[in-house]
Amino acid sequence: MLRPQNSPTREMVTLDGTWRFAVDWDRTGLTDNWQNGPLTGHLDAPVPGSINDLYHDEKIRNHVGYYWYQREVRVPRGWDGERIFVRLESATHEGTVFVNGTKVVEHAGGYTPFEADITDHVTAGETFRLSVAVNNELTNSSIPPGEIIELEDGRHQQEYKHDFYNYAGLHRSVWLCSVPAVRVDDVTVTTDYRGATGAVDYAVSVTGGDDAHVAVRVLDEDGTEVARANGASGTVEIPDVTLWQPGAGYLYDLVMEVSQGSELKDSFTQKVGVRTVAVEGKQFLINGESFYFTGFGMHEDHETLGKGHSDAHMIQDFQLLEWINANSLRTSHYPYSEDIMDYCDRHGVVVIDETAAVGLNWAIAGGIMGGSAGGTFEPGHVDDSTQTTHRQAIRELVDRDKNRPSVVLWSIANEPDTAAEGARGYFEPLVELTRELDPSRPVGFVNVMFAPAGACTVSDLFDVLMLNRYYGWYVQTGDLRTAEASLEKELRQWDEQYAKPTIMTEYGADTVAGMHSIYDQPFTEDYQVAFLDMYHRVFDRVECMIGEHVWNFADFQTKYGYARVDGNKKGAFTRDRRPKAGARALRQRWAGKLGR
């Protein structure tokens, strides 16, 4: 699914702004056809934005079920004769879209885009009513999974298995788009280079015209044409190529033009970065050179906005990543906004791209947050219906991000119960699917410390090992000497068993900003620094380690619990982006790693 763009043949109009808003308290909105008229009540909601932290009524924040958005939309009068689409970049976790009362599309999965051709339902120059019903419920069949609990008084509560707040709403932009009937429907790009010559393999899918002709041109960043070819698939060679590199995200424009006879029907431009990715032995190679990951697991999480996208907050976060000498991030634990991914492509930020498959672990149910009893891979928990949804989540992620040079590694799950019976049968087909969809990138998953070396049943299936470890925090708390020995022992076991490149994708300690002690006292800024220093000493002694992603970039909101006072405090930065002592320690270490 191509992201909308303005081109000589395409136009797009943002539908972001303030929408009418209503809570479907009794789950009657769909049966009572709320889409057929204006929403009642006086509430408004911003798009993009989460709804949970906006209103004084706590019942809205805690509502389990449907919320409704609505607005009037005018179709530009110049769009007569074009195909008209509405596109939602996300609806968390399920969205149903209506145009003038007619359902045009529904989609499950809260972090990937979906769209509908509404040409037959609207008229150029006139207005229509756009309604979106958003359901925030999580079940065992969703990704991420959860359970709905009905209390004795009739209220519903959402139990979920992940340790971040279940923000809901239209978190990303909504667009109205026009495209020609004969058009580029999809493109897949892979790149290589030999010496100074770059190679771009492309495959263009065209809809609406079997006799259409495809021509492609490659433009450099100055707009100069450097290569061209004819045909819907092939290879274009770029002389004196400028490679896409970490920290230097050079992008070419692959301009695809579809014609019938002498008439141009469509023009679409795909950004292309020429680079290679490979795993060799214990090394991760980008453009044939060993790459060491420095950075964070992050969250789309800000005060008031929740998971709503904001360009201003995005720029601030990436400026802080640059300041701290981070060269990479993991999209923990869901696909991030396409605006964030575009930024990574432009600026050379390396990305581990992760599905929303977090919480596939009934044994820990979100780490320390408790949960229902029972095994993970059993009917009603993680079962065939979960796997079906997981398959679709992988397909949608790869389809969205397959052409991005910043994406170097697919992460298909975070902290699943891979020591349990049934894990291999669940994951092996998913690994095969990911490789089938994209043979050009390595595949990994993130291992939880309850499935240590020798106990995990699936790590041999993957190209790169990614580990989350909390020696010195959740275990051996405050005893960094013992924690150091335990961490090194396990990392050496992984190295001996698999000899694969290994990234520490999570390590960190909750840290209250401004709290200090002369002792190794947990929750102090001093302990955060000592904790990080201990891990780094171990990393430098173990050969297979090729990266370190601290948990987390910034403090973030979680569900309530006795161990979470206003959220998770493991950030190097506070939730309002003020640096803790650990941030300066990381800045110094990573400057050395990057040779600065």
Side-chain angles (χ1 to χ4, degrees):
M1 184 188 302
L2 299 176
R3 195 179 191 196
Q5 64 179 230
N6 288 307
S7 82
T9 59
R10 298 170 177 242
E11 291 184 348
M12 53 193 292
V13 175
T14 180
L15 302 184
D16 292 355
T18 301
W19 292 43
R20 291 191 296 274
F21 180 76
V23 182
D24 189 353
W25 297 111
D26 302 316
R27 302 180 63 87
T28 60
L30 293 173
T31 55
D32 290 349
N33 296 311
W34 285 12
Q35 68 273 13
N36 288 342
L39 294 179
T40 59
H42 64 280
L43 293 178
D44 296 313
V47 175
S50 297
I51 61 89
N52 305 81
D53 294 343
L54 298 178
Y55 306 103
H56 64 76
D57 187 348
E58 190 174 13
K59 291 188 300 182
I60 298 178
R61 186 178 207 267
N62 296 332
H63 176 65
V64 178
Y66 282 90
Y67 304 95
W68 284 69
Y69 293 77
Q70 193 178 83
R71 63 163 292 168
E72 297 296 313
V73 179
R74 182 173 295 278
V75 181
R77 62 182 181 179
W79 288 9
D80 189 31
E82 299 293 298
R83 304 304 300 180
I84 300 170
F85 282 75
V86 62
R87 175 189 171 97
L88 292 81
E89 294 195 350
S90 70
T92 308
H93 292 277
E94 180 180 357
T96 306
V97 182
F98 302 88
V99 171
N100 287 335
T102 300
K103 182 167 72 174
V104 293
V105 67
E106 55 187 339
H107 177 264
Y111 302 99
T112 44
F114 58 105
E115 64 186 17
D117 185 337
I118 61 171
T119 310
D120 296 337
H121 305 285
V122 300
T123 302
E126 297 184 4
T127 62
F128 67 90
R129 182 174 57 253
L130 179 62
S131 305
V132 183
V134 178
N135 183 13
N136 66 0
E137 294 177 329
L138 297 171
T139 70
N140 78 294
S141 298
S142 63
I143 294 291
E147 296 175 286
I148 306 297
I149 299 172
E150 184 172 354
L151 303 179
E152 291 183 358
D153 61 7
R155 288 180 297 142
H156 289 82
Q157 286 186 349
Q158 175 75 71
E159 180 184 304
Y160 47 97
K161 313 301 178 181
H162 55 271
D163 190 20
F164 55 93
Y165 191 79
N166 188 39
Y167 282 110
L170 297 179
H171 289 150
R172 300 167 188 169
S173 291
V174 180
W175 300 96
L176 190 69
C177 320
S178 74
V179 297
V182 179
R183 63 186 180 274
V184 175
D185 184 59
D186 193 21
V187 60
T188 300
V189 172
T190 57
T191 64
D192 200 351
Y193 66 95
R194 185 179 298 275
T197 301
V200 178
D201 294 336
Y202 69 92
V204 180
S205 173
V206 175
T207 190
D210 294 336
D211 59 341
H213 172 72
V214 178
V216 302
R217 297 181 293 126
V218 179
L219 310 179
D220 65 17
E221 288 193 346
D222 294 326
T224 302
E225 182 178 305
V226 295
R228 66 166 53 224
N230 290 305
S233 62
T235 301
V236 286
E237 293 190 341
I238 304 173
D240 298 319
V241 67
T242 300
L243 297 180
W244 186 98
Q245 301 186 66
Y250 194 93
L251 297 175
Y252 290 91
D253 284 344
L254 179 70
V255 182
M256 294 157 280
E257 296 172 329
V258 179
S259 303
Q260 285 182 318
S262 60
E263 183 180 0
L264 176 67
K265 293 295 186 179
D266 190 25
S267 176
F268 187 88
T269 299
Q270 172 68 51
K271 296 290 184 182
V272 174
V274 179
R275 60 101 180 98
T276 61
V277 174
V279 171
E280 291 186 6
K282 299 178 186 180
Q283 291 186 308
F284 193 98
L285 305 179
I286 299 179
N287 299 333
E289 297 184 0
S290 180
F291 181 75
Y292 191 92
F293 293 79
T294 65
F296 298 94
M298 299 179 69
H299 267 301
E300 292 180 314
D301 177 276
H302 292 87
E303 293 180 350
T304 306
L305 289 171
K307 292 197 176 305
H309 177 75
S310 157
D311 286 343
H313 289 84
M314 176 186 73
I315 296 296
Q316 180 189 39
D317 283 354
F318 277 102
Q319 285 294 300
L320 292 175
L321 287 171
E322 181 178 333
W323 173 84
I324 207 170
N325 294 312
N327 62 17
S328 55
L329 62 89
R330 174 170 63 114
T331 69
S332 47
H333 302 294
Y334 39 82
Y336 286 0
S337 162
E338 291 169 279
D339 294 306
I340 291 176
M341 304 302 289
D342 285 347
Y343 189 101
C344 292
D345 286 341
R346 289 196 309 273
H347 294 274
V349 180
V350 173
V351 176
I352 300 171
D353 208 0
E354 191 161 88
T355 73
V358 55
L360 305 180
N361 199 321
W362 254 247
I364 60 172
I368 59 175
M369 306 306 289
S372 60
T376 297
F377 299 100
E378 62 182 44
H381 290 177
V382 179
D383 58 19
D384 289 345
S385 66
T386 320
Q387 190 188 58
T388 298
T389 306
H390 199 162
R391 284 177 175 273
Q392 185 62 23
I394 292 171
R395 288 189 186 95
E396 292 186 8
L397 176 62
V398 174
D399 182 58
R400 196 194 75 166
D401 292 343
K402 62 187 175 183
N403 296 326
R404 295 190 177 279
S406 61
V407 175
V408 301
L409 174 61
W410 302 116
S411 173
I412 66 171
N414 178 75
E415 294 193 343
D417 191 3
T418 57
E421 183 179 356
R424 193 173 186 91
Y426 180 89
F427 276 102
E428 192 163 14
L430 299 180
V431 177
E432 293 171 356
L433 172 64
T434 310
R435 295 195 199 285
E436 177 186 340
L437 293 171
D438 178 24
S440 72
R441 290 179 179 86
V443 181
F445 85 103
V446 176
N447 170 282
V448 68
M449 66 188 304
F450 297 104
C456 180
T457 64
V458 304
S459 287
D460 62 296
L461 301 173
F462 296 87
D463 303 300
V464 177
L465 301 181
M466 294 186 282
L467 309 177
N468 294 351
R469 292 299 182 266
Y470 290 96
Y471 296 107
W473 187 250
Y474 291 125
V475 296
Q476 299 160 349
T477 311
D479 183 358
L480 293 179
R481 180 180 298 183
T482 302
E484 183 167 357
S486 298
L487 174 64
E488 183 166 356
K489 178 181 178 181
E490 190 190 349
L491 292 185
R492 292 193 182 280
Q493 288 174 331
W494 284 107
D495 195 9
E496 292 169 5
Q497 184 174 0
Y498 293 106
K500 292 183 178 183
T502 304
I503 306 168
M504 187 63 67
T505 38
E506 288 186 24
Y507 62 109
D510 281 88
T511 303
V512 178
M515 186 175 176
H516 292 276
S517 173
I518 61 172
Y519 310 111
D520 280 343
Q521 182 177 334
F523 292 100
T524 64
E525 293 191 46
D526 314 275
Y527 186 78
Q528 183 185 43
V529 172
F531 179 100
L532 295 172
D533 285 347
M534 179 272 284
Y535 273 72
H536 297 155
R537 289 194 300 270
V538 175
F539 298 164
D540 291 343
R541 295 196 295 261
V542 179
E543 183 184 12
C544 67
M545 297 304 298
I546 54 99
E548 50 200 57
H549 276 182
V550 173
W551 190 256
N552 192 282
F553 170 71
D555 296 345
F556 59 92
Q557 191 57 262
T558 66
K559 57 183 174 181
Y560 297 131
Y562 62 86
R564 293 285 182 248
V565 180
D566 195 31
N568 190 305
K569 295 293 193 294
K570 293 187 181 67
F573 299 91
T574 61
R575 200 179 187 207
D576 61 354
R577 275 43 179 182
R578 298 176 186 270
K580 302 176 189 176
R584 294 191 180 277
L586 290 168
R587 184 173 190 254
Q588 182 176 1
R589 172 173 171 82
W590 291 345
K593 284 292 182 183
L594 301 182
R596 294 176 179 172

